[in-house]
Coordinates of all heavy atoms in Angstrom, one line a residue:
M293 N 24.1 40.5 3.1 CA 23.3 40.1 4.2 C 21.8 40.3 4.0 O 21.0 39.5 4.2 CB 23.9 40.7 5.5 CG 23.1 40.2 6.7 SD 23.4 38.4 7.0 CE 22.6 38.2 8.6
A294 N 21.5 41.6 3.5 CA 20.1 42.0 3.3 C 19.6 41.0 2.2 O 18.3 40.7 2.3 CB 20.1 43.4 2.8
R295 N 20.3 40.6 1.2 CA 19.8 39.7 0.2 C 19.5 38.4 0.7 O 18.4 37.7 0.4 CB 20.8 39.5 -0.9 CG 20.9 40.7 -1.9 CD 21.8 40.4 -3.0 NE 21.8 41.5 -3.9 CZ 22.7 41.6 -5.0 NH1 23.6 40.7 -5.1 NH2 22.5 42.7 -5.8
L296 N 20.2 37.9 1.6 CA 20.0 36.6 2.2 C 18.7 36.7 3.1 O 17.9 35.7 3.1 CB 21.2 36.2 3.2 CG 22.4 35.7 2.5 CD1 23.5 35.4 3.5 CD2 22.1 34.5 1.6
V297 N 18.5 37.8 3.8 CA 17.4 37.9 4.6 C 16.1 38.0 3.7 O 15.1 37.4 4.0 CB 17.5 39.2 5.6 CG1 16.1 39.5 6.2 CG2 18.5 39.0 6.5
A298 N 16.2 38.7 2.7 CA 15.1 38.8 1.7 C 14.7 37.5 1.1 O 13.6 37.2 1.0 CB 15.4 39.9 0.6
L299 N 15.8 36.7 0.7 CA 15.6 35.4 0.1 C 14.9 34.5 1.2 O 14.0 33.8 0.8 CB 17.0 34.8 -0.3 CG 16.8 33.4 -1.0 CD1 16.0 33.4 -2.2 CD2 18.3 32.9 -1.2
A300 N 15.4 34.6 2.4 CA 14.8 33.7 3.4 C 13.3 34.1 3.6 O 12.5 33.2 3.8 CB 15.6 33.8 4.7
L301 N 12.9 35.3 3.6 CA 11.6 35.8 3.8 C 10.8 35.3 2.7 O 9.6 34.9 2.8 CB 11.6 37.3 3.9 CG 12.1 37.8 5.3 CD1 12.1 39.4 5.2 CD2 11.2 37.4 6.4
M302 N 11.3 35.4 1.4 CA 10.6 34.9 0.2 C 10.3 33.5 0.3 O 9.1 33.0 0.0 CB 11.4 35.3 -1.1 CG 11.3 36.7 -1.5 SD 12.1 37.1 -3.0 CE 12.7 35.7 -3.7
L303 N 11.3 32.7 0.7 CA 11.1 31.3 0.8 C 10.1 30.9 1.9 O 9.3 30.0 1.7 CB 12.5 30.5 1.0 CG 13.4 30.6 -0.2 CD1 14.8 30.0 0.3 CD2 12.8 29.9 -1.3
A304 N 10.2 31.6 3.0 CA 9.2 31.4 4.0 C 7.8 31.6 3.6 O 6.9 31.1 4.2 CB 9.6 32.1 5.3
A305 N 7.6 32.6 2.8 CA 6.3 33.0 2.4 C 5.7 32.1 1.4 O 4.5 32.1 1.0 CB 6.3 34.5 1.8
Q306 N 6.5 31.2 0.8 CA 6.1 30.3 -0.2 C 5.2 29.2 0.4 O 5.5 28.7 1.5 CB 7.2 29.5 -0.9 CG 8.1 30.5 -1.7 CD 7.4 31.1 -2.9 OE1 6.6 30.4 -3.6 NE2 7.7 32.4 -3.1
P307 N 4.0 28.8 -0.2 CA 3.2 27.8 0.4 C 3.9 26.5 0.4 O 4.8 26.2 -0.4 CB 2.0 27.8 -0.6 CG 2.4 28.4 -1.9 CD 3.5 29.4 -1.4
A308 N 3.6 25.8 1.4 CA 4.2 24.4 1.5 C 3.9 23.5 0.3 O 2.8 23.7 -0.2 CB 3.8 23.7 2.8
I309 N 4.8 22.7 0.0 CA 4.6 21.8 -1.2 C 3.4 20.9 -0.8 O 3.5 20.2 0.2 CB 5.9 21.0 -1.5 CG1 6.9 22.0 -2.0 CG2 5.6 20.0 -2.6 CD1 8.3 21.4 -2.2
A310 N 2.5 20.8 -1.7 CA 1.4 19.9 -1.4 C 1.8 18.4 -1.4 O 2.7 18.0 -2.2 CB 0.3 20.1 -2.5
R311 N 1.4 17.8 -0.4 CA 1.6 16.4 -0.2 C 0.7 15.5 -1.1 O -0.4 15.8 -1.2 CB 1.6 15.9 1.2 CG 2.6 16.5 2.1 CD 2.3 16.3 3.6 NE 1.7 15.1 3.7 CZ 2.2 14.1 4.5 NH1 3.2 14.3 5.3 NH2 1.6 12.9 4.7
S312 N 1.3 14.5 -1.6 CA 0.4 13.6 -2.4 C -0.5 12.8 -1.6 O -0.3 12.6 -0.4 CB 1.3 12.7 -3.3 OG 1.9 11.6 -2.4
W313 N -1.6 12.2 -2.2 CA -2.5 11.4 -1.4 C -1.8 10.2 -0.9 O -2.1 9.7 0.1 CB -3.7 11.1 -2.3 CG -4.7 10.1 -1.6 CD1 -5.3 9.1 -2.3 CD2 -5.3 10.2 -0.4 NE1 -6.1 8.5 -1.3 CE2 -6.2 9.1 -0.3 CE3 -5.1 11.0 0.8 CZ2 -6.9 8.8 1.0 CZ3 -5.8 10.7 1.9 CH2 -6.7 9.6 2.0
T314 N -0.8 9.7 -1.7 CA -0.1 8.5 -1.3 C 0.7 8.8 -0.1 O 0.8 7.9 0.9 CB 0.9 8.0 -2.5 OG1 0.0 7.6 -3.6 CG2 1.7 6.8 -2.0
E315 N 1.3 9.9 0.0 CA 2.2 10.3 1.2 C 1.2 10.4 2.4 O 1.5 10.0 3.5 CB 2.9 11.6 1.0 CG 4.0 11.5 0.0 CD 4.6 12.8 -0.4 OE1 3.7 13.8 -0.6 OE2 5.8 12.9 -0.6
E316 N 0.0 11.0 2.2 CA -0.9 11.2 3.3 C -1.4 9.8 3.7 O -1.5 9.5 4.9 CB -2.1 12.1 2.9 CG -1.7 13.5 2.7 CD -2.9 14.4 2.4 OE1 -4.1 14.1 2.9 OE2 -2.7 15.3 1.6
K317 N -1.8 8.9 2.8 CA -2.2 7.6 3.2 C -1.1 6.9 4.0 O -1.5 6.2 4.9 CB -2.6 6.8 1.9 CG -3.8 7.2 1.2 CD -4.3 6.3 0.2 CE -3.4 6.3 -1.0 NZ -3.8 5.5 -2.1
C318 N 0.1 7.0 3.6 CA 1.2 6.4 4.3 C 1.3 6.8 5.7 O 1.5 6.1 6.7 CB 2.5 6.6 3.5 SG 3.9 5.5 4.1
D319 N 1.2 8.1 5.9 CA 1.2 8.7 7.2 C 0.1 8.1 8.1 O 0.2 7.7 9.2 CB 1.2 10.2 7.2 CG 2.5 10.8 6.8 OD1 3.5 10.1 6.8 OD2 2.5 12.1 6.6
I320 N -1.1 8.2 7.6 CA -2.3 7.6 8.2 C -2.1 6.2 8.6 O -2.3 5.8 9.7 CB -3.6 7.9 7.3 CG1 -3.9 9.4 7.3 CG2 -4.8 7.2 8.0 CD1 -4.9 9.8 6.2
Y321 N -1.7 5.5 7.6 CA -1.5 4.1 7.7 C -0.4 3.7 8.8 O -0.6 3.0 9.7 CB -1.1 3.4 6.5 CG -0.9 1.9 6.6 CD1 -1.9 1.0 6.5 CD2 0.4 1.3 6.9 CE1 -1.7 -0.4 6.7 CE2 0.5 0.0 7.2 CZ -0.6 -0.9 7.1 OH -0.4 -2.2 7.2
G322 N 0.6 4.5 8.8 CA 1.8 4.4 9.8 C 1.3 4.7 11.2 O 1.7 4.0 12.2
Q323 N 0.4 5.7 11.3 CA -0.1 6.0 12.7 C -1.1 4.8 13.1 O -0.9 4.5 14.3 CB -0.9 7.3 12.6 CG 0.0 8.5 12.4 CD -0.8 9.7 12.1 OE1 -2.0 9.8 12.3 NE2 -0.1 10.8 11.7
A324 N -1.9 4.3 12.2 CA -2.7 3.1 12.6 C -1.9 1.9 13.0 O -2.3 1.2 13.9 CB -3.6 2.9 11.4
W325 N -0.8 1.7 12.3 CA 0.1 0.6 12.6 C 0.7 0.8 14.0 O 0.7 -0.1 14.8 CB 1.2 0.5 11.6 CG 2.3 -0.5 12.0 CD1 3.5 -0.3 12.5 CD2 2.1 -1.9 11.9 NE1 4.2 -1.5 12.7 CE2 3.4 -2.6 12.3 CE3 1.2 -2.8 11.5 CZ2 3.6 -3.9 12.3 CZ3 1.4 -4.2 11.5 CH2 2.6 -4.7 11.9
G326 N 1.1 2.1 14.3 CA 1.7 2.4 15.6 C 0.7 2.1 16.7 O 1.0 1.5 17.8
E327 N -0.6 2.4 16.4 CA -1.7 2.2 17.4 C -1.9 0.7 17.6 O -2.1 0.2 18.7 CB -3.0 3.0 17.0 CG -4.1 2.8 18.0 CD -3.8 3.4 19.3 OE1 -3.0 4.4 19.5 OE2 -4.4 2.9 20.3
A328 N -2.0 0.0 16.5 CA -2.2 -1.5 16.5 C -1.1 -2.1 17.4 O -1.4 -3.0 18.1 CB -2.3 -2.0 15.2
V329 N 0.2 -1.8 17.1 CA 1.3 -2.3 17.8 C 1.2 -2.0 19.3 O 1.5 -2.9 20.2 CB 2.6 -1.9 17.2 CG1 3.8 -2.2 18.1 CG2 2.7 -2.5 15.8
R330 N 0.8 -0.8 19.6 CA 0.7 -0.4 21.1 C -0.3 -1.2 21.7 O -0.2 -1.5 23.0 CB 0.4 1.2 21.1 CG 1.7 2.0 21.1 CD 1.4 3.4 21.5 NE 0.4 4.1 20.5 CZ 0.8 4.6 19.4 NH1 2.1 4.4 18.9 NH2 0.0 5.1 18.5
T331 N -1.4 -1.4 21.1 CA -2.6 -2.0 21.8 C -2.5 -3.6 21.7 O -2.8 -4.3 22.6 CB -4.0 -1.6 21.2 OG1 -3.9 -1.9 19.8 CG2 -4.2 -0.2 21.4
R332 N -1.9 -4.2 20.6 CA -1.9 -5.6 20.5 C -0.5 -6.2 20.8 O -0.4 -7.5 21.0 CB -2.4 -6.0 19.1 CG -3.8 -5.7 18.8 CD -4.2 -6.2 17.5 NE -4.2 -7.6 17.5 CZ -5.2 -8.4 17.1 NH1 -6.2 -7.8 16.6 NH2 -5.1 -9.7 17.1
G333 N 0.5 -5.4 20.5 CA 1.9 -5.8 20.7 C 2.3 -6.7 19.5 O 1.6 -6.8 18.5
T334 N 3.5 -7.1 19.5 CA 4.2 -7.9 18.5 C 4.8 -9.2 18.8 O 5.4 -9.9 18.0 CB 5.3 -7.0 17.8 OG1 6.3 -6.8 18.8 CG2 4.9 -5.7 17.2
A335 N 4.4 -9.7 19.9 CA 4.9 -10.9 20.5 C 4.7 -12.1 19.7 O 5.6 -13.0 19.4 CB 4.5 -11.2 22.0
D336 N 3.5 -12.1 19.0 CA 3.2 -13.3 18.2 C 3.5 -13.1 16.7 O 3.1 -13.9 15.9 CB 1.6 -13.6 18.4 CG 1.4 -14.1 19.8 OD1 2.3 -14.7 20.4 OD2 0.2 -13.9 20.2
L337 N 4.1 -12.0 16.4 CA 4.4 -11.7 14.9 C 5.8 -12.0 14.7 O 6.7 -11.8 15.4 CB 4.2 -10.2 14.6 CG 2.8 -9.7 15.0 CD1 2.7 -8.2 14.7 CD2 1.7 -10.4 14.3
S338 N 6.1 -12.7 13.5 CA 7.5 -13.2 13.3 C 8.3 -12.0 12.9 O 7.9 -11.0 12.4 CB 7.5 -14.1 12.0 OG 7.2 -13.5 10.8
P339 N 9.6 -12.2 13.1 CA 10.6 -11.2 12.7 C 10.5 -10.9 11.1 O 10.7 -9.8 10.7 CB 12.0 -11.8 13.0 CG 11.8 -12.7 14.1 CD 10.3 -13.4 13.8
A340 N 10.3 -11.9 10.3 CA 10.1 -11.7 8.9 C 8.9 -10.7 8.6 O 9.0 -9.9 7.7 CB 10.0 -13.0 8.1
F341 N 7.9 -11.0 9.3 CA 6.6 -10.2 9.0 C 6.9 -8.8 9.4 O 6.6 -7.8 8.7 CB 5.4 -10.8 9.9 CG 4.2 -10.0 9.8 CD1 3.3 -10.2 8.7 CD2 3.8 -9.0 10.7 CE1 2.1 -9.6 8.6 CE2 2.6 -8.4 10.6 CZ 1.7 -8.6 9.5
L342 N 7.5 -8.6 10.6 CA 7.8 -7.2 11.1 C 8.8 -6.5 10.3 O 8.7 -5.3 10.0 CB 8.3 -7.3 12.6 CG 7.3 -7.7 13.6 CD1 7.9 -8.0 14.9 CD2 6.1 -6.7 13.7
A343 N 9.9 -7.2 9.8 CA 10.8 -6.6 8.9 C 10.2 -6.2 7.6 O 10.5 -5.1 7.1 CB 12.0 -7.6 8.7
A344 N 9.4 -7.0 7.0 CA 8.7 -6.6 5.7 C 7.8 -5.5 6.0 O 7.8 -4.6 5.1 CB 8.0 -7.8 5.2
H345 N 7.1 -5.4 7.1 CA 6.2 -4.3 7.3 C 7.1 -3.0 7.6 O 6.7 -2.0 7.0 CB 5.3 -4.5 8.6 CG 4.1 -3.6 8.5 ND1 4.2 -2.4 9.0 CD2 2.9 -3.8 7.9 CE1 3.1 -1.8 8.9 NE2 2.3 -2.6 8.2
D346 N 8.2 -3.1 8.3 CA 9.1 -2.0 8.4 C 9.6 -1.5 7.1 O 9.8 -0.2 6.8 CB 10.3 -2.3 9.3 CG 9.9 -2.5 10.8 OD1 8.8 -2.1 11.2 OD2 10.7 -3.0 11.6
A347 N 10.0 -2.4 6.2 CA 10.4 -2.0 4.8 C 9.3 -1.3 4.1 O 9.6 -0.3 3.3 CB 10.9 -3.3 4.1
F348 N 8.0 -1.7 4.3 CA 6.9 -1.1 3.6 C 6.8 0.4 4.0 O 6.8 1.3 3.3 CB 5.6 -1.9 3.9 CG 4.4 -1.1 3.5 CD1 4.1 -1.0 2.1 CD2 3.6 -0.7 4.4 CE1 2.9 -0.3 1.8 CE2 2.3 0.0 4.1 CZ 2.0 0.2 2.6
L349 N 6.9 0.6 5.3 CA 6.7 2.0 5.9 C 8.0 2.8 5.5 O 7.9 4.0 5.1 CB 6.7 1.9 7.4 CG 5.3 1.3 7.9 CD1 5.4 1.3 9.4 CD2 4.1 2.2 7.4
A350 N 9.2 2.1 5.5 CA 10.4 2.9 5.1 C 10.5 3.3 3.7 O 11.1 4.2 3.3 CB 11.6 2.0 5.4
S351 N 9.7 2.6 2.9 CA 9.7 2.8 1.3 C 8.7 3.9 1.0 O 8.2 4.0 -0.1 CB 9.4 1.5 0.5 OG 8.1 1.2 0.8
S352 N 8.1 4.5 2.1 CA 7.0 5.4 1.8 C 5.8 4.7 1.4 O 5.0 5.2 0.5 CB 7.3 6.6 1.0 OG 8.3 7.3 1.5
C353 N 5.6 3.4 1.8 CA 4.4 2.7 1.5 C 4.4 2.2 0.0 O 3.3 2.1 -0.5 CB 3.2 3.3 2.0 SG 3.1 3.7 3.7
R354 N 5.5 2.0 -0.5 CA 5.5 1.6 -1.9 C 5.9 0.1 -2.1 O 5.5 -0.5 -3.1 CB 6.5 2.5 -2.8 CG 6.0 3.9 -3.0 CD 6.9 4.8 -3.6 NE 6.5 6.1 -4.1 CZ 5.8 7.0 -3.4 NH1 5.4 6.7 -2.3 NH2 5.6 8.2 -3.9
E355 N 6.7 -0.4 -1.2 CA 7.1 -1.8 -1.3 C 6.1 -2.7 -0.6 O 6.2 -2.9 0.5 CB 8.5 -2.0 -0.7 CG 9.6 -1.3 -1.4 CD 9.8 -1.7 -2.8 OE1 9.8 -3.0 -3.1 OE2 10.1 -0.9 -3.7
R356 N 5.2 -3.3 -1.4 CA 4.2 -4.1 -0.9 C 4.5 -5.5 -0.9 O 4.3 -6.2 -1.9 CB 2.8 -3.8 -1.6 CG 2.4 -2.5 -1.4 CD 1.1 -2.1 -2.2 NE 0.6 -0.8 -1.9 CZ 0.8 0.2 -2.8 NH1 1.4 0.0 -3.9 NH2 0.4 1.4 -2.4
A357 N 5.0 -6.1 0.1 CA 5.5 -7.5 0.2 C 5.4 -8.0 1.6 O 6.4 -8.7 2.0 CB 6.9 -7.6 -0.4
V358 N 4.4 -7.8 2.3 CA 4.2 -8.3 3.6 C 3.3 -9.5 3.6 O 2.1 -9.4 3.3 CB 3.6 -7.2 4.6 CG1 3.6 -7.8 6.0 CG2 4.5 -6.0 4.6
C359 N 3.8 -10.7 3.9 CA 3.0 -11.9 3.8 C 2.6 -12.5 5.3 O 3.5 -13.0 5.9 CB 3.8 -12.9 3.0 SG 2.9 -14.5 2.8
P360 N 1.4 -12.3 5.6 CA 0.9 -12.8 6.9 C 0.9 -14.4 6.8 O 0.2 -14.9 6.0 CB -0.3 -12.2 7.2 CG -0.9 -11.8 5.9 CD 0.3 -11.6 5.0
R361 N 1.5 -15.1 7.7 CA 1.5 -16.6 7.7 C 0.9 -17.2 8.8 O 0.2 -18.2 8.7 CB 2.9 -17.1 7.5 CG 3.6 -16.6 6.1 CD 4.8 -17.4 5.8 NE 5.4 -16.9 4.6 CZ 5.1 -17.2 3.3 NH1 4.2 -18.0 3.1 NH2 5.8 -16.7 2.3
S362 N 1.1 -16.6 10.0 CA 0.5 -17.3 11.2 C -0.9 -16.7 11.4 O -1.2 -15.7 10.8 CB 1.4 -17.0 12.4 OG 1.4 -15.6 12.7
A363 N -1.6 -17.3 12.4 CA -3.0 -16.7 12.7 C -2.8 -15.3 13.3 O -3.7 -14.5 13.0 CB -3.6 -17.7 13.7
A364 N -1.8 -15.1 14.1 CA -1.6 -13.7 14.7 C -1.3 -12.7 13.6 O -1.8 -11.5 13.6 CB -0.5 -13.7 15.7
E365 N -0.5 -13.1 12.6 CA -0.2 -12.2 11.5 C -1.4 -11.9 10.6 O -1.7 -10.8 10.2 CB 0.9 -12.7 10.7 CG 2.2 -12.7 11.4 CD 3.4 -13.5 10.7 OE1 3.2 -14.1 9.7 OE2 4.5 -13.5 11.2
V366 N -2.3 -12.9 10.4 CA -3.4 -12.7 9.6 C -4.5 -11.9 10.4 O -5.0 -10.9 9.8 CB -4.1 -14.1 9.3 CG1 -5.5 -13.9 8.7 CG2 -3.3 -14.9 8.3
A367 N -4.5 -12.0 11.7 CA -5.4 -11.2 12.5 C -4.8 -9.7 12.5 O -5.6 -8.8 12.5 CB -5.3 -11.6 14.0
M368 N -3.5 -9.4 12.6 CA -3.0 -8.2 12.4 C -3.3 -7.5 11.0 O -3.6 -6.4 10.9 CB -1.5 -8.0 12.7 CG -0.9 -6.8 12.6 SD -1.5 -5.6 13.9 CE -0.2 -5.7 15.2
A369 N -3.1 -8.3 10.0 CA -3.4 -7.8 8.6 C -4.9 -7.5 8.5 O -5.3 -6.5 7.9 CB -3.0 -8.9 7.6
D370 N -5.7 -8.3 9.1 CA -7.2 -8.1 9.1 C -7.5 -6.7 9.9 O -8.3 -5.9 9.4 CB -8.0 -9.2 9.7 CG -8.0 -10.4 8.9 OD1 -7.7 -10.4 7.7 OD2 -8.4 -11.5 9.5
L371 N -6.9 -6.6 11.0 CA -7.1 -5.3 11.8 C -6.6 -4.2 11.0 O -7.3 -3.1 10.9 CB -6.3 -5.4 13.1 CG -6.3 -4.2 13.9 CD1 -7.8 -3.8 14.3 CD2 -5.5 -4.3 15.1
M372 N -5.4 -4.2 10.4 CA -4.9 -3.1 9.6 C -5.8 -2.8 8.4 O -6.0 -1.6 7.9 CB -3.5 -3.4 9.2 CG -2.5 -3.4 10.3 SD -2.6 -2.0 11.4 CE -2.2 -0.6 10.2
T373 N -6.4 -3.8 7.8 CA -7.3 -3.7 6.7 C -8.5 -2.9 7.1 O -9.0 -1.9 6.5 CB -7.7 -5.0 6.0 OG1 -6.5 -5.7 5.6 CG2 -8.6 -4.8 4.9
I374 N -9.1 -3.2 8.3 CA -10.3 -2.6 8.8 C -9.9 -1.1 9.1 O -10.6 -0.2 8.7 CB -10.9 -3.3 10.0 CG1 -11.4 -4.6 9.5 CG2 -11.9 -2.5 10.7 CD1 -11.7 -5.6 10.7
M375 N -8.8 -0.9 9.7 CA -8.4 0.5 10.1 C -8.2 1.3 8.8 O -8.5 2.5 8.8 CB -7.1 0.4 11.0 CG -7.4 -0.2 12.4 SD -5.9 -0.4 13.3 CE -5.7 1.3 14.0
A376 N -7.5 0.8 7.8 CA -7.3 1.5 6.6 C -8.5 1.8 5.9 O -8.8 3.0 5.4 CB -6.3 0.7 5.7
V377 N -9.5 0.9 5.7 CA -10.7 1.2 5.1 C -11.5 2.2 5.8 O -12.1 3.1 5.2 CB -11.5 -0.1 4.8 CG1 -12.9 0.1 4.3 CG2 -10.7 -1.0 3.9
N378 N -11.5 2.1 7.1 CA -12.2 3.1 8.0 C -11.7 4.5 7.8 O -12.3 5.5 8.0 CB -12.1 2.7 9.5 CG -13.1 1.7 9.8 OD1 -14.1 1.4 9.0 ND2 -12.9 1.0 10.9
A379 N -10.3 4.6 7.5 CA -9.6 5.9 7.2 C -9.7 6.2 5.7 O -9.1 7.1 5.3 CB -8.2 5.8 7.6
R380 N -10.6 5.6 5.0 CA -10.9 5.8 3.5 C -9.6 5.5 2.6 O -9.3 6.2 1.6 CB -11.4 7.2 3.3 CG -12.7 7.5 3.8 CD -13.3 8.8 3.6 NE -12.2 9.8 3.7 CZ -12.3 10.9 4.4 NH1 -13.5 11.2 5.0 NH2 -11.4 11.7 4.5
I381 N -8.8 4.6 3.1 CA -7.6 4.1 2.3 C -8.0 2.8 1.7 O -8.5 1.9 2.3 CB -6.5 3.8 3.2 CG1 -6.0 5.2 3.9 CG2 -5.3 3.2 2.4 CD1 -5.0 5.0 5.0
A382 N -7.9 2.8 0.3 CA -8.3 1.5 -0.4 C -7.5 0.3 0.0 O -6.3 0.5 0.2 CB -8.3 1.8 -1.9
G383 N -8.1 -0.8 -0.2 CA -7.5 -2.1 0.1 C -6.3 -2.4 -0.8 O -5.4 -3.1 -0.3
T384 N -6.3 -1.7 -2.0 CA -5.1 -1.9 -2.8 C -3.9 -1.2 -2.5 O -2.8 -1.6 -2.8 CB -5.5 -1.5 -4.3 OG1 -5.8 0.0 -4.2 CG2 -6.6 -2.2 -4.9
F385 N -4.0 -0.4 -1.5 CA -2.9 0.3 -0.8 C -2.1 -0.5 0.1 O -0.9 -0.4 0.4 CB -3.3 1.6 -0.1 CG -2.3 2.3 0.5 CD1 -1.5 3.3 -0.1 CD2 -2.1 2.2 1.9 CE1 -0.5 3.9 0.5 CE2 -1.1 2.9 2.6 CZ -0.2 3.7 1.9
L386 N -2.7 -1.5 0.7 CA -2.1 -2.3 1.8 C -1.1 -3.2 1.3 O -1.0 -3.6 0.2 CB -3.3 -3.1 2.4 CG -4.4 -2.4 3.0 CD1 -5.6 -3.3 3.4 CD2 -3.9 -1.5 4.2
P387 N -0.1 -3.4 2.2 CA 1.1 -4.2 1.9 C 1.0 -5.7 1.9 O 1.9 -6.4 1.5 CB 2.1 -3.8 3.0 CG 1.2 -3.7 4.1 CD -0.1 -3.0 3.7
F388 N -0.2 -6.2 2.3 CA -0.3 -7.6 2.4 C -0.5 -8.4 1.2 O -1.5 -8.3 0.5 CB -1.4 -7.9 3.5 CG -1.3 -7.1 4.7 CD1 -2.1 -6.0 5.1 CD2 -0.2 -7.4 5.6 CE1 -2.0 -5.3 6.2 CE2 0.0 -6.6 6.8 CZ -0.9 -5.5 7.0
I389 N 0.5 -9.2 0.8 CA 0.5 -10.0 -0.3 C 1.4 -11.2 -0.1 O 2.5 -11.0 0.4 CB 0.8 -9.3 -1.6 CG1 0.6 -10.1 -2.8 CG2 2.2 -8.7 -1.6 CD1 0.7 -9.4 -4.1
C390 N 1.0 -12.4 -0.5 CA 2.0 -13.5 -0.4 C 2.3 -14.0 -1.9 O 1.4 -14.3 -2.6 CB 1.3 -14.7 0.4 SG 1.1 -14.2 2.1
R391 N 3.6 -14.0 -2.2 CA 4.0 -14.4 -3.6 C 4.6 -15.8 -3.4 O 5.3 -16.1 -2.4 CB 5.0 -13.4 -4.1 CG 4.3 -12.0 -4.4 CD 5.3 -11.1 -4.9 NE 4.6 -9.8 -5.3 CZ 4.8 -8.7 -4.8 NH1 5.8 -8.6 -3.8 NH2 4.2 -7.6 -5.1
P392 N 4.4 -16.6 -4.4 CA 5.1 -17.9 -4.4 C 6.6 -17.8 -4.3 O 7.2 -17.0 -4.7 CB 4.6 -18.6 -5.7 CG 3.9 -17.6 -6.4 CD 3.8 -16.4 -5.6

């Protein structure tokens, strides 16, 4: 039992594993998305757009395949771009891309 307690104390004393900048950007971006959805809503966004965006967030912001097609989706993508750049997240991080 004493060994388990000692091991637990050693592990607790270890510094937290540093998060990568990509993980931090994803968290920041996810918070910005949440704020945009709270303020603007999703009524004019297609299920495909929302599903692709959910997949982007679920992939830890690695699956970039969100294609804005309607005016409302382009407006949301524009807003997210502005919010991301204001948070010092490069435009290349964003999920918005339309492939043929």
Side-chain angles (χ1 to χ4, degrees):
M293 181 68 169
R295 285 185 175 168
L296 289 176
V297 171
L299 179 60
L301 290 173
M302 284 182 5
L303 290 174
Q306 297 295 318
I309 296 173
R311 293 171 33 127
S312 73
W313 176 227
T314 299
E315 291 170 320
E316 288 183 40
K317 289 188 292 187
C318 191
D319 283 348
I320 293 166
Y321 181 88
Q323 291 170 12
W325 174 257
E327 182 63 26
V329 166
R330 276 188 295 282
T331 58
R332 296 183 69 131
T334 60
D336 295 331
L337 305 177
S338 72
F341 180 85
L342 293 170
H345 199 276
D346 287 347
F348 171 68
L349 292 174
S351 74
S352 298
C353 302
R354 286 174 171 49
E355 297 295 323
R356 295 181 177 100
V358 181
C359 181
R361 298 195 185 275
S362 70
E365 291 170 358
V366 170
M368 182 64 99
D370 288 347
L371 175 62
M372 292 309 301
T373 300
I374 291 166
M375 292 175 82
V377 170
N378 284 341
R380 297 184 312 230
I381 298 172
T384 56
F385 175 82
L386 299 172
F388 306 110
I389 185 169
C390 294
R391 295 185 173 110

